[in-house]
Amino acid sequence: MDKDEIHLRRLPAPHADREFCGVDFLPEDLNEALEETEMRVNKTYSCLPAEEKGIHIINIRAIEDIGYDQHESTLLNSLSKNPDADCKYGLYFRDGKRKVDYILVYQYKKSSAGRTVTRRAHYDSTTRSTKQEQPLPGKGVQLETGESEPHMDYHEDDKRFRREEYEGNLVEAGLELEHDEDTKIHGIGFVKIHAPWNVLCREAEFLKLKMPTKKMYQISQTHGLLKKINSVIQKITEPIQPKVAEHKPQTVKRLSYPFSREKQHLFDLSDRDSFFDSKTRSTVVYEILKRTTCTKAKYSMGKGEGRKKEATLLNKRRKCGKYGITSLLANGVYSAAYPLHDGDYEGENVEPNDRKLLCEEWASYGVFYKYQPIDLVRKYFGEKIGLYFAWLGVYTQMLIPASIVGIIVFLYGCATVDENIPSMEMCDQRNNITMCPLCDRTCSYWKMSSACATARASHLFDNPATVFFSVFMALWAATFMEHWKRKQMRLNYRWDLTGFEEEEEAVKDHPRAEYEAKVLEKSLRKEHKHKETDKEKLTWKDRFPAYLTNFVGIIFMVGLTFAIVFGVIIYRISTAAALAISSTPSGRSSVRVTVTATAVIINLVVIIILDEVYGCIARWLTQIEVPKTDKNFEERLIFKAFLLKFVNAYTPIFYVAFFKGRFVGRPGDYVYIFHSFRMEECAPGGCLMELCIQLSIIMLGKQLIQNNLFEIGIPKMKKFIRYMKLKHQHSLDHEEHMKKKQRYEVDYNLEPFAGLTPEYMEMIIQFGFVTLFVASFPLAPLFALLNNIIEIRLDAKKFVTELRRPVAVRAKDIGIWYNILRGIGKLAVIINAFVISFTSDFIPRLVYLYMYSENGTMHGFVNHTLSSFNVSDFQAGTAPNDPMDLGYEVVICRYKDYREPPWSENKYDISKDFWAVLAARLAFVIVFQNLVMFMSEFVDWIIPDIPKDISQQIHKEKVLMVEVFMREEQGKLQMLETWKDKDKKKGENCNNHSPRLSRSHSGSLSSCHSYPLDV
């Protein structure tokens, strides 16, 4: 037993002096009822049983204050049990019986006059509920003499006062509290909260939590051939199933019903300790913490005019200020609030718990090939996080067929590259096609055969199979969405969420701390105008400056992204011109690849940096809007962050796909930027290869650096920094360092849970890479699949080992993210249609094959797409400095465009071939878009959102529930009829007695008639 852990009791006799020789007494002005309550509370909330302490009457401030030395305290420790082992190192109260459901953390300053009283102590509910000014048992009691009173910052005094009032209100709400300031983390105090059975029942009824009843029913199983197929599949997939009880297929299910205290007999209460699991208990406590408020503030240490102003502010706050847990956290009254993890996940002699099981069967890279134990994840973290990992698992599974088809398309391109006539013509040295310079003056003429490698590589991604793959991916996206909806309904049925509505949660959703503060500020401004109302709220006029800032800020950020992309374009143009001066032929031949690769790497670095910046800016813009509830805040934050990150990630890709090479002009009349830089052109094989390079590097770079290295490296770095700080602190106190940490101390050192928005965001951006430009990069699903296999285990490890346990949140779907996914799926159809028709050469090849080819083959296609230019028509100062670089004088050079030749009457004008190809391209976009959209809607229509077996089970549950209540009502009616018959018979027997005997037995007669009422 620690020397600071002496139990607090009050003397039975009154004492005039409350302080004597370092001994503190509790106040004596309580009435008898409160004394009885206090006796009960002291018995319930004591840190250790009184028999173990041996001290029953006084509260000793510190043992050394009354003469005990270290040797004697060591003797006391040797005579008592280790309290930390009794409470399983923080998982239970000091009595070892009551489980810790929630933790509040606060910072305190030790008094310079002496040590604070009893570090680990119980909470006295009677004192706190009646007199807020009385000191908390187990907490520091200030000396009353003015000379010895230590100076304390009035802000700290205000925080302490709010904590005392708030904790008193929590006790009045039925919660049980216990303090602990004797921890290894100096200056940090912990409040342990336990919800007793009656509070859990009350809140479960209020929250309409569905709990399992005694009634069990058989889940309908498949029959015949389907049953055999399912059994074969189960045997095949048995090695990849996680070894957890929750993942085994169930044949029976308990009927669930919203908990009701009046119908407790319906529920399976055989084991009350496990009826409400730790997730549910923490959710219940958190709901109480949110709605419990403290309305007072105390600035007791101010002086003079400052004190008067503070008193005025205090009076105003008492009128209109309420502080729930969110406000108290925002104002620094508490520094953290979180539920505890179930225990350790590694080490020797670790008791089995859900956290350890999750770490072994889910949060380990060695089990990457196994299914996720989604039911156990939901049991431990709640429905919202369970749905995220379920969605991520479904998405990863659906990437498997997409990856296989993408690999087949890529292999088809590899197999047919030697049979591709256009690339063979470009690589043929005998064609001797001389191309016009790529830049002014410094660039010279070049042979088309020098771009042979680029042309052959382009065929790997620009072939007829790419069109099929685009159609396939559009249908894949629609199928994925439908498959997820069906999976979601199965989970809703399994997790008893079929009757749950988000509107119910919205009603109970409490205002955010920042919103309450703004309303308070508005109320204070209106007080002097005598316009105060009972309930203030923020209107659009109050938020107009924030809306204006949001609009201007988002426009500025989008403009910044465009400016950076434009800067990279300038870099590409200037670097290409500089490399063209290279004296080595190899340097000149690799100009295009070098410029493209370096520019993409610059884009990648900028995208990663701006992603972090835009995330912070989106949060700030959302905060100044002051949304009322957490749900509104999350939805607005998601919208802003997705908009900014979408523009940031895809703007460089959109430029290469749809703008590069479209506005270059022609030789002799080029388009210039700043009158100095000529717009860059696409390669002779088209821009699709450059689009593929751009997409692959940005996608792989973001996944490797941002999603994986950042998620692994940054938490490890933060953890190392915290470890070094604690090591420095512990070096000052070796004895404290040798103690084993409590569970709440260990969890306090973990990272706080920041929400699922970053996790969803990176997957949504990846989904865009997989679907939006898949026509240019068929291997995108494969790389996404490989990334997600790692991502699932990485996120799982982070949730289990690196983060504090989040509060479980009920949810029946993934919310706004589903609408974003559907929007991306629709947009992908349109973008792929434009990529195929405008970026690739698929449409020009079809037009040539069916309109211009003489023999029905692609021979002559390259020559058909090139126009001629007479070098004498160059503008002054734009001709090559070395016209004899190829060894001969060039008269006519070629460039890629559909224009009239120089010997035509309308030389260099747009030719009719251009308009034919443009019409075909637009027609393809319209046909492709409508056809694929129709097919997607058909897939959406033909696949029901709710599986047939699940709809049957839901209907069966409703029927069974009606039967249960009908039987209960019939039982009640039969019981009432039985009571009536008994009452009637007893009444007849009583009437048969004589009047004297009736009078003598009046008690029994009255008892007869009162019997039904007593029951």
Side-chain angles (χ1 to χ4, degrees), residues 433-436 666-667 863-871 873 891-904 906-909:
I433 299 177
T434 303
M435 303 297 294
C436 296
R666 60 172 180 81
N863 186 61
H864 176 74
T865 58
L866 298 177
S867 299
S868 301
F869 177 75
N870 194 328
V871 298
D873 293 332
V891 179
I892 298 293
C893 65
R894 309 294 297 274
Y895 62 98
K896 188 171 183 178
D897 203 349
Y898 291 101
R899 290 184 179 270
E900 297 290 344
W903 51 84
S904 173
N906 303 316
K907 64 178 183 179
Y908 307 134
D909 285 349

Side-chain angles (χ1 to χ4, degrees), residues 14 37 51 164 295 354 379 408 483 629 641 699 783 813 828 969 978 1003:
T37 308
E51 291 75 16
E164 291 176 358
T295 58
D354 287 342
K379 177 186 174 185
I408 293 174
H483 179 45
T629 63
M699 178 182 176
F783 290 112
D813 52 39
E969 292 299 323
T978 305

Side-chain angles (χ1 to χ4, degrees), residues 7-18:
H7 184 43
L8 188 85
R9 304 286 289 178
R10 58 172 299 178
L11 289 175
H15 290 265
D17 189 3
R18 289 172 54 201

